[in-house]
Amino acid sequence: MRYRRWVTRIGASVFLLGAAGCSFTQEPAVGPQSEDMSMDQFAQTDFNRTVTIGIRDNLDSLYILLDKLYRRNPREWRKSGAASQEAAVQRVRQLIETRRPPTDLHGLRDIQILAVSLDPAYTRDRVAAFIYGLADTLIAAHNDKTRIYVSDVLSGQRIYNAARNVEAAAWLLSTRRDAAGQPLLYANEISAQVTNLSFEREFGEIIGRLDLIANLLGENTRRVGINYAQGLLFFNFLPVR
């Protein structure tokens, strides 16, 4: 009788472990998004990779904001002459990736475009100008690059300034009004029926990544001197076999 109870308990345990295993395989974990190996990564340090991934993720956040703003402000993408909201999103993404500002803003860059996009007098596609201006600001702060290599020297102060520009843009987006008292662009929504703070969340993630990179740049510079001093102090010999 005691033997049967023991076998029954073992069988139940095996069943539960098997069921748990099935549940894990049915729901694959969602983790950090990396990149496939490429030849140019051999010209990047671990820190270069960190910054490159930070730029990629910040641009992805801007593309999310682009889509959300067009959905909340369909009149804007229609100004561009695009056939659909999806086509308008693709158009702005292509402008950002090729570093070509909207045609009506030719000759302007980064914060200049951002300022125009938040001017009540501006009558063209405000969403395109706003997102392009933010993207150009972020890329300009990284020496006009979206991939960083060993030879690149970044300024922590410029990236810190870019973070503050994003903060200012987010605040202006939620407060600027036209002559009729209406928001220039509808973004976050708080009402008795709906609470939508997804725009604020995306802006917060962009600011957080920029501040982290700015702080890491300062720490990276400091560690170069410390590591050199440690090498002299402990006389680190190089391996010969």
Side-chain angles (χ1 to χ4, degrees), residues 59-236:
L59 289 176
D60 284 345
S61 286
L62 287 180
Y63 296 146
I64 291 172
L65 288 170
L66 171 65
D67 183 70
K68 287 178 176 292
L69 284 170
Y70 270 149
R71 289 182 186 278
R72 289 223 64 199
N73 304 272
R75 67 181 184 276
E76 298 301 324
W77 68 258
R78 294 191 179 102
K79 293 177 183 177
S80 68
S84 65
Q85 185 259 338
E86 291 77 12
V89 167
Q90 188 57 38
R91 169 182 165 270
V92 178
R93 289 190 61 148
Q94 187 174 17
L95 291 176
I96 292 171
E97 290 166 5
T98 57
R99 303 296 302 282
R100 292 185 297 111
T103 53
D104 59 298
L105 298 172
H106 182 71
L108 301 180
R109 289 197 59 188
D110 47 77
I111 58 174
Q112 296 172 327
I113 295 176
L114 201 52
V116 170
S117 74
L118 294 166
D119 185 343
Y122 185 63
T123 59
R124 302 294 290 272
D125 185 346
R126 194 181 298 278
V127 170
F130 182 71
I131 295 298
Y132 184 92
L134 280 172
D136 204 45
T137 295
L138 299 189
I139 296 172
H142 293 83
N143 293 353
D144 292 317
K145 295 184 176 182
T146 57
R147 298 185 72 82
I148 307 302
Y149 299 99
V150 174
S151 58
D152 293 314
V153 179
L154 297 178
S155 166
Q157 185 63 52
R158 288 183 180 179
I159 295 175
Y160 175 86
N161 291 348
R164 306 291 73 77
N165 287 339
V166 174
E167 282 183 337
W171 183 80
L172 290 171
L173 179 66
S174 64
T175 58
R176 280 280 171 92
R177 299 287 189 272
D178 60 19
Q182 297 300 312
L184 295 180
L185 290 172
Y186 289 99
N188 288 321
E189 182 179 6
I190 301 177
S191 66
Q193 294 78 28
V194 178
T195 299
N196 178 9
L197 299 177
S198 58
F199 292 88
E200 185 175 335
R201 181 172 63 249
E202 290 297 335
F203 279 120
E205 290 183 1
I206 295 171
I207 294 164
R209 293 188 197 106
L210 289 171
D211 279 336
L212 176 61
I213 295 302
N215 289 333
L216 287 176
L217 279 167
E219 178 66 13
N220 192 49
T221 303
R222 190 177 69 87
R223 289 303 304 177
V224 169
I226 292 176
N227 291 340
Y228 178 74
Q230 287 177 338
L232 292 177
L233 179 63
F234 296 109
F235 293 99
N236 291 331

Side-chain angles (χ1 to χ4, degrees), residues 3-32:
Y3 173 75
R4 287 183 179 178
R5 289 178 181 174
W6 181 75
V7 171
T8 302
R9 289 176 181 174
I10 293 294
S13 298
V14 171
F15 174 78
L16 290 173
L17 287 173
C22 290
S23 67
F24 287 133
T25 56
Q26 288 173 353
E27 298 181 7
V30 177

